[in-house]
Amino acid sequence: MSYDYIIIGAGSAGCVLANRLSANPNIRVALLEAGGEDTLPWIHIPAGFLKTLTHPKVNWLYESEPHPGTHNRPIPIPRGKVLGGSSSINGMLYIRGHRRDYDIWAQLGNRGWSFDEVLPLFRRSEDQSRGEDGYHGVGGPLHVSDQVERHEVCDALLAAAESLGIPLNDDVNGAEQEGFGYVQLTVKNGRRQSTAAAFLEPVRKRKNLNIVTGAQARHLDWAGKKCVGVTYQRGRLHVSLRAAKEVIVSAGSIGSPQLLELSGVGDPNHLQALGIHVVHALPGVGENLQDHFVTRLSWRVNNAVTYNERARGPRLLGELLRYMTKRQGALALSVANLVGFTHVRAGMESPDVQYFMTPASFSLTRERALEREPGMTVGPCQLRPESRGSVHIKSTDPFTGPAIQPNFLDAQVDRDTVVGAMRLARKIVEAPPMDKFRGTETTPGPDVNTDDEFLAYARETGATVYHPVGTCKMGSDPMAVVDDRLRVHGVAGLRVVDASIMPTLVSGNTNAPTIMIGEKACDMIREDAN
């Protein structure tokens, strides 16, 4: 079977590619997804992220390799295994990052990737509920809305931050990123807007678009150093597809380097050790892994009802009824109510810390399990970590997950920033506007006061914010995997289009930037075809 374009991975970028490329009825497009249809009900209910982050039906459920910097703990690394990819299981926060992130990409030699050049692509995707302005678009496939529910504890947190000189900001995707405010979400009428819902569902009936689920890519197919197709497995059946124009790998920051290595593209020493024929030596494949590392500080809450109580007993029945009738209430909320950007190191030109804040608290022993007593959480993460990790295959079996080593907290600046961010979180919650609601600090607890104690707590309990990027980085240096048009160096007919191409991690969540990468790739693919 032959198509013009074969897209491997129906995630945040893959669904965008399928939509935009198949808009030309003369172009034949195949979209392969290893996971299944997005029929799990928890996907579409915003609060269902508490289930999807650990659900084997829609999640690869990867874990990191042991690392002494995080006490040799296997850290869960959820990745979407379903139509929509990680946009179907994530926390739905719509955050683009700082303009400086993209300007740095351009300064590294990647033409066309400055903030002013990519802003129109963000706007093109967007259907912003607030309306159109210089930073936001309307009429695009992806609906972006404000959180509909305010909470008295959140309002007090905003006042506490402001009392410390941190500005309030109701649009961190606007002219300025710095400040604290309520979140913007990829939610429409109380339902998740994954890229499958926003970009794929409206065009599924196009005759020139073939969507194949349950299709695990085994390897890319070659004619010399030209990629001519892919072989995938569906059940016991092995199927080979041919691409008349290009194969586009959009399997994400874990799956894309895995597929390249399985296909003979990567570090020759690593490939030969596994008995893989080297098609093209590209040592940067799987290197340069970057991710956001978060720690969570929690307090008991006085004089307010938190989501801990609203998620059980008679209150939960009321929330279910409210969601069913109005698409509102606790079930319509996301991973965080507030988001904040500020800096904890002197002399920074842009924020170096992001905060996630919610009137809920979670067990440290059971992933994403809400506690019973009233609680709140402030989760700081460093925005631009200097630690670098890797993703490399351990086996020639495509169903065996790769070795993922984030190397969290390797760099001294990362450790210093994480400690400073935790100190500032405590300072915000201890400010006078929080006096009415602030109860006992439960984690890390009032006995933790020195830098060493804060760092020890981070090593013992910190985790990923689910933002792995960079493993097929864009650039022209010897460790780059793709050029600034996302073509894989040294071979023909092959691009990588997903978060793995980011040379450096953006200052914020990664779903919106990955959608933008899909939009930009479509423009470049059309231009190159012409």
Side-chain angles (χ1 to χ4, degrees), residues 41 45 48 68 77-78 84 102 106 125 132 250 257 348 356 361 383 401 464 493 498 517 523 525:
I45 301 170
I77 301 179
Y102 305 98
S125 288
E132 186 175 14
S250 295
M348 301 301 296
F356 305 94
S361 58
L383 286 173
T464 170
D498 55 36
I517 289 169
D523 287 353
I525 290 167

Side-chain angles (χ1 to χ4, degrees), residues 248-433:
I248 306 165
V249 178
S250 295
S253 294
I254 310 301
S256 288
Q258 178 186 25
L259 180 57
L260 289 181
E261 289 188 333
L262 289 170
S263 306
V265 178
D267 183 346
N269 294 326
H270 184 67
L271 300 184
Q272 290 167 351
L274 291 169
I276 296 174
H277 169 68
V278 179
V279 173
H280 181 62
L282 210 53
V285 172
E287 294 296 311
N288 192 51
L289 173 64
Q290 301 158 59
D291 197 356
H292 287 138
F293 181 81
V294 68
T295 55
R296 297 184 178 94
L297 294 83
S298 301
W299 286 262
R300 290 284 165 251
V301 170
N302 302 322
N303 303 310
V305 176
T306 68
Y307 298 133
N308 294 5
E309 307 97 283
R310 292 170 66 178
R312 55 176 44 88
R315 284 194 174 98
L316 178 57
L317 294 177
E319 296 293 344
L320 288 169
L321 180 62
R322 188 179 176 193
Y323 183 77
M324 292 172 63
T325 57
K326 298 182 178 180
R327 291 286 189 264
Q328 295 177 0
L331 294 179
L333 300 175
S334 174
V335 64
N337 294 54
L338 303 179
V339 67
F341 292 90
T342 188
H343 62 273
V344 297
R345 289 185 294 150
M348 301 301 296
E349 295 181 9
S350 59
D352 61 356
V353 176
Q354 178 177 1
Y355 288 92
F356 305 94
M357 294 159 282
T358 187
S361 58
F362 303 89
S363 169
L364 285 178
T365 57
R366 295 175 56 212
E367 180 71 12
R368 287 294 174 187
L370 288 167
E371 295 181 316
R372 286 190 167 273
E373 297 180 66
M376 58 166 285
T377 300
V378 179
C381 78
Q382 181 194 11
L383 286 173
R384 292 182 298 281
E386 293 189 3
S387 300
R388 296 291 184 269
S390 63
V391 174
H392 291 297
I393 57 173
K394 298 185 284 189
S395 164
T396 57
D397 179 5
F399 294 93
T400 298
I404 305 169
Q405 183 51 274
N407 291 329
F408 289 128
L409 302 177
D410 263 11
Q412 182 64 48
V413 67
D414 297 359
R415 299 192 288 271
D416 293 343
T417 306
V418 166
V419 169
M422 295 169 70
R423 286 192 176 281
L424 179 57
R426 179 182 282 178
K427 191 174 181 181
I428 292 171
V429 177
E430 290 180 349

Side-chain angles (χ1 to χ4, degrees), residues 5-224:
Y5 298 100
I6 300 170
I7 305 163
I8 303 170
S12 295
C15 289
V16 177
L17 289 162
N19 177 302
R20 301 305 194 189
L21 292 177
S22 66
N24 181 344
N26 298 316
I27 296 294
R28 297 160 299 157
V29 178
L31 176 64
L32 308 182
E33 168 55 43
E37 296 282 341
D38 57 340
T39 53
L40 184 73
W42 291 117
I43 290 175
H44 306 288
I45 301 170
F49 78 91
L50 292 170
K51 301 290 187 180
T52 58
L53 284 177
T54 57
H55 202 298
K57 183 177 180 180
V58 297
N59 196 320
W60 287 101
L61 298 177
Y62 295 122
E63 289 185 338
S64 69
E65 298 294 302
H67 182 253
T70 46
H71 286 207
N72 293 313
R73 295 178 292 124
I75 295 176
I77 301 179
R79 293 285 90 195
K81 186 182 180 182
V82 63
L83 288 181
S86 295
S87 77
S88 288
I89 70 168
N90 68 2
M92 292 155 288
L93 270 63
Y94 183 83
I95 296 176
R96 297 171 178 174
H98 196 276
R99 67 163 47 241
R100 189 168 175 265
D101 300 329
Y102 305 98
D103 290 342
I104 288 174
W105 293 4
Q107 290 164 10
L108 291 172
N110 298 301
R111 297 162 299 176
W113 290 90
S114 70
F115 180 75
D116 288 342
E117 290 168 304
V118 301
L119 177 59
L121 302 170
F122 281 112
R123 296 180 72 249
R124 183 169 77 190
S125 288
E126 191 179 16
D127 183 28
Q128 170 58 250
S129 63
R130 300 184 184 189
E132 186 175 14
D133 62 24
Y135 291 92
H136 295 288
V138 295
L142 184 71
H143 191 79
V144 179
S145 61
D146 294 326
Q147 180 169 293
V148 296
E149 180 176 297
R150 299 182 71 93
H151 194 283
E152 55 188 334
V153 173
C154 295
D155 290 341
L157 274 168
L158 292 179
E162 190 175 29
S163 74
L164 298 178
I166 301 172
L168 301 186
N169 186 352
D170 71 345
D171 185 7
V172 297
N173 299 303
E176 296 293 338
Q177 184 190 55
E178 185 159 8
F180 281 43
Y182 279 89
V183 296
Q184 295 176 30
L185 303 172
T186 50
V187 171
K188 183 177 183 179
N189 298 327
R191 290 174 64 85
R192 175 193 293 272
Q193 278 273 282
S194 69
T195 53
F199 288 88
L200 203 56
E201 187 59 34
V203 303
R204 291 195 66 158
K205 293 183 179 179
R206 287 177 179 168
K207 295 181 179 180
N208 62 327
L209 174 60
N210 184 21
I211 302 168
V212 186
T213 56
Q216 172 65 55
R218 293 193 63 87
H219 56 77
L220 303 172
D221 298 327
W222 303 94

